[in-house]
Short mmCIF file of all heavy atoms in Angstrom, two decimals:
data_model
loop_
_atom_site.label_atom_id
_atom_site.label_comp_id
_atom_site.label_asym_id
_atom_site.label_seq_id
_atom_site.Cartn_x
_atom_site.Cartn_y
_atom_site.Cartn_z
N SER A 245 -196.28 36.22 -32.93
CA SER A 245 -195.13 35.59 -33.41
C SER A 245 -193.82 36.31 -32.97
O SER A 245 -193.76 37.53 -32.95
CB SER A 245 -195.15 35.52 -34.87
OG SER A 245 -195.09 36.89 -35.34
N PRO A 246 -192.74 35.61 -32.57
CA PRO A 246 -191.58 36.32 -32.06
C PRO A 246 -190.86 37.02 -33.19
O PRO A 246 -190.92 36.67 -34.36
CB PRO A 246 -190.64 35.09 -31.65
CG PRO A 246 -191.21 33.95 -32.36
CD PRO A 246 -192.56 34.22 -32.54
N GLN A 247 -190.33 38.28 -32.89
CA GLN A 247 -189.78 39.16 -33.81
C GLN A 247 -188.42 38.78 -34.21
O GLN A 247 -187.85 38.99 -35.28
CB GLN A 247 -189.73 40.60 -33.39
CG GLN A 247 -191.12 41.17 -32.92
CD GLN A 247 -191.07 42.43 -32.36
OE1 GLN A 247 -190.12 43.17 -32.65
NE2 GLN A 247 -192.14 42.90 -31.68
N SER A 248 -187.63 38.01 -33.27
CA SER A 248 -186.27 37.77 -33.52
C SER A 248 -186.07 36.61 -34.62
O SER A 248 -184.99 36.53 -35.13
CB SER A 248 -185.61 37.29 -32.17
OG SER A 248 -186.34 35.99 -31.70
N SER A 249 -187.14 35.92 -34.97
CA SER A 249 -187.02 34.88 -35.99
C SER A 249 -187.25 35.34 -37.30
O SER A 249 -187.34 34.56 -38.29
CB SER A 249 -187.88 33.72 -35.58
OG SER A 249 -189.28 34.19 -35.57
N THR A 250 -187.44 36.55 -37.49
CA THR A 250 -187.80 37.13 -38.87
C THR A 250 -186.82 38.23 -39.24
O THR A 250 -187.18 39.45 -39.29
CB THR A 250 -189.31 37.55 -38.94
OG1 THR A 250 -189.40 38.67 -37.85
CG2 THR A 250 -190.28 36.50 -38.69
N PRO A 251 -185.59 37.89 -39.50
CA PRO A 251 -184.70 39.01 -39.93
C PRO A 251 -185.01 39.35 -41.41
O PRO A 251 -185.53 38.62 -42.18
CB PRO A 251 -183.29 38.31 -39.82
CG PRO A 251 -183.60 36.85 -40.11
CD PRO A 251 -184.86 36.64 -39.43
N THR A 252 -184.68 40.60 -41.83
CA THR A 252 -184.85 41.13 -43.10
C THR A 252 -183.60 40.68 -43.93
O THR A 252 -182.65 39.94 -43.53
CB THR A 252 -185.01 42.71 -43.15
OG1 THR A 252 -183.83 43.22 -42.46
CG2 THR A 252 -186.28 42.92 -42.29
N ARG A 253 -183.68 41.14 -45.29
CA ARG A 253 -182.68 40.74 -46.28
C ARG A 253 -181.27 41.38 -45.80
O ARG A 253 -180.25 40.72 -46.00
CB ARG A 253 -183.07 41.23 -47.69
CG ARG A 253 -184.23 40.64 -48.24
CD ARG A 253 -184.51 41.19 -49.61
NE ARG A 253 -185.68 40.69 -50.23
CZ ARG A 253 -185.66 39.49 -50.85
NH1 ARG A 253 -184.58 38.85 -51.23
NH2 ARG A 253 -186.82 39.07 -51.47
N ASN A 254 -181.25 42.47 -45.24
CA ASN A 254 -179.90 43.11 -44.84
C ASN A 254 -179.56 42.66 -43.39
O ASN A 254 -178.56 43.24 -42.80
CB ASN A 254 -180.09 44.60 -44.87
CG ASN A 254 -181.16 45.15 -44.12
OD1 ASN A 254 -181.77 44.38 -43.24
ND2 ASN A 254 -181.43 46.42 -44.31
N GLY A 255 -180.22 41.73 -42.82
CA GLY A 255 -179.88 41.34 -41.46
C GLY A 255 -180.44 42.04 -40.27
O GLY A 255 -180.24 41.73 -39.19
N THR A 256 -181.06 43.18 -40.59
CA THR A 256 -181.60 43.99 -39.34
C THR A 256 -182.99 43.49 -38.98
O THR A 256 -183.70 42.82 -39.77
CB THR A 256 -181.80 45.46 -39.85
OG1 THR A 256 -182.54 45.51 -40.98
CG2 THR A 256 -180.37 45.99 -40.24
N GLN A 257 -183.35 43.81 -37.75
CA GLN A 257 -184.64 43.30 -37.27
C GLN A 257 -185.72 44.35 -37.58
O GLN A 257 -185.36 45.52 -37.70
CB GLN A 257 -184.51 43.19 -35.80
CG GLN A 257 -183.61 42.15 -35.26
CD GLN A 257 -184.22 40.67 -35.60
OE1 GLN A 257 -185.31 40.61 -35.81
NE2 GLN A 257 -183.33 39.77 -35.81
N PRO A 258 -186.95 43.93 -37.82
CA PRO A 258 -188.09 44.88 -38.07
C PRO A 258 -188.41 45.70 -36.93
O PRO A 258 -187.99 45.29 -35.77
CB PRO A 258 -189.28 43.88 -38.45
CG PRO A 258 -188.96 42.61 -37.73
CD PRO A 258 -187.41 42.51 -37.82
N PRO A 259 -189.04 46.76 -37.07
CA PRO A 259 -189.25 47.66 -35.94
C PRO A 259 -190.12 46.84 -34.87
O PRO A 259 -191.02 46.06 -35.35
CB PRO A 259 -190.19 48.81 -36.48
CG PRO A 259 -190.65 48.29 -37.88
CD PRO A 259 -189.53 47.39 -38.28
N PRO A 260 -189.89 47.03 -33.57
CA PRO A 260 -190.68 46.33 -32.68
C PRO A 260 -192.03 46.69 -32.58
O PRO A 260 -192.47 47.78 -32.84
CB PRO A 260 -189.95 46.66 -31.26
CG PRO A 260 -189.38 47.97 -31.62
CD PRO A 260 -188.96 48.04 -33.00
N VAL A 261 -192.94 45.77 -32.24
CA VAL A 261 -194.34 45.95 -32.09
C VAL A 261 -194.63 46.09 -30.55
O VAL A 261 -194.15 45.32 -29.78
CB VAL A 261 -195.23 44.71 -32.56
CG1 VAL A 261 -196.56 44.94 -32.46
CG2 VAL A 261 -194.83 44.52 -34.02
N PRO A 262 -195.34 47.20 -30.20
CA PRO A 262 -195.63 47.35 -28.88
C PRO A 262 -196.33 46.19 -28.18
O PRO A 262 -197.27 45.68 -28.84
CB PRO A 262 -196.58 48.61 -28.82
CG PRO A 262 -196.25 49.32 -30.09
CD PRO A 262 -195.88 48.24 -31.04
N SER A 263 -195.86 45.71 -27.00
CA SER A 263 -196.47 44.56 -26.32
C SER A 263 -197.76 44.89 -25.79
O SER A 263 -198.07 46.00 -25.46
CB SER A 263 -195.53 44.08 -25.31
OG SER A 263 -195.32 45.14 -24.37
N ARG A 264 -198.68 43.89 -25.58
CA ARG A 264 -199.98 44.12 -24.98
C ARG A 264 -199.89 44.58 -23.52
O ARG A 264 -200.68 45.42 -23.16
CB ARG A 264 -200.78 42.86 -25.08
CG ARG A 264 -201.02 42.34 -26.52
CD ARG A 264 -201.70 43.35 -27.33
NE ARG A 264 -201.91 42.87 -28.67
CZ ARG A 264 -202.40 43.67 -29.69
NH1 ARG A 264 -202.80 44.77 -29.33
NH2 ARG A 264 -202.49 43.10 -30.81
N SER A 265 -198.91 44.15 -22.85
CA SER A 265 -198.81 44.56 -21.41
C SER A 265 -198.46 46.02 -21.41
O SER A 265 -198.85 46.76 -20.45
CB SER A 265 -197.73 43.76 -20.78
OG SER A 265 -196.40 43.83 -21.39
N ALA A 266 -197.58 46.52 -22.32
CA ALA A 266 -197.22 48.01 -22.32
C ALA A 266 -198.58 48.75 -22.57
O ALA A 266 -198.58 49.95 -22.18
CB ALA A 266 -196.10 48.22 -23.19
N GLU A 267 -199.35 48.23 -23.35
CA GLU A 267 -200.51 49.05 -23.74
C GLU A 267 -201.48 49.15 -22.63
O GLU A 267 -202.23 50.22 -22.65
CB GLU A 267 -201.31 48.37 -24.94
CG GLU A 267 -200.53 48.51 -26.23
CD GLU A 267 -201.27 47.93 -27.41
OE1 GLU A 267 -202.41 47.39 -27.13
OE2 GLU A 267 -200.84 47.86 -28.56
N ILE A 268 -201.42 48.24 -21.62
CA ILE A 268 -202.20 48.52 -20.49
C ILE A 268 -201.92 49.74 -19.75
O ILE A 268 -202.83 50.39 -19.20
CB ILE A 268 -202.15 47.25 -19.64
CG1 ILE A 268 -202.70 46.00 -20.42
CG2 ILE A 268 -203.00 47.39 -18.31
CD1 ILE A 268 -202.57 44.70 -19.66
N LYS A 269 -200.61 50.03 -19.55
CA LYS A 269 -200.20 51.19 -18.83
C LYS A 269 -200.23 52.35 -19.69
O LYS A 269 -200.61 53.51 -19.28
CB LYS A 269 -198.80 50.98 -18.32
CG LYS A 269 -198.72 49.76 -17.31
CD LYS A 269 -197.20 49.62 -16.72
CE LYS A 269 -197.20 48.39 -15.80
NZ LYS A 269 -195.91 48.28 -15.24
N ARG A 270 -199.76 52.32 -20.94
CA ARG A 270 -199.66 53.55 -21.82
C ARG A 270 -199.90 53.09 -23.20
O ARG A 270 -199.59 51.89 -23.63
CB ARG A 270 -198.30 54.24 -21.79
CG ARG A 270 -198.11 55.03 -20.48
CD ARG A 270 -196.84 55.73 -20.51
NE ARG A 270 -196.57 56.57 -19.39
CZ ARG A 270 -197.11 57.77 -19.18
NH1 ARG A 270 -197.77 58.34 -20.19
NH2 ARG A 270 -196.82 58.43 -18.07
#
């Protein structure tokens, strides 16, 4: 699910989840 569509109560975005493509390299 996209992270940009789920703002919190104070308007800030939740911490980013590492992408699967990034996990392939590191």
Side-chain angles (χ1 to χ4, degrees):
S245 61
Q247 302 175 19
S248 59
S249 61
T250 57
T252 57
R253 294 180 183 271
N254 56 7
T256 59
Q257 294 292 335
V261 181
S263 62
R264 299 300 178 184
S265 60
E267 290 181 358
I268 297 178
K269 296 181 179 180
R270 287 184 178 275

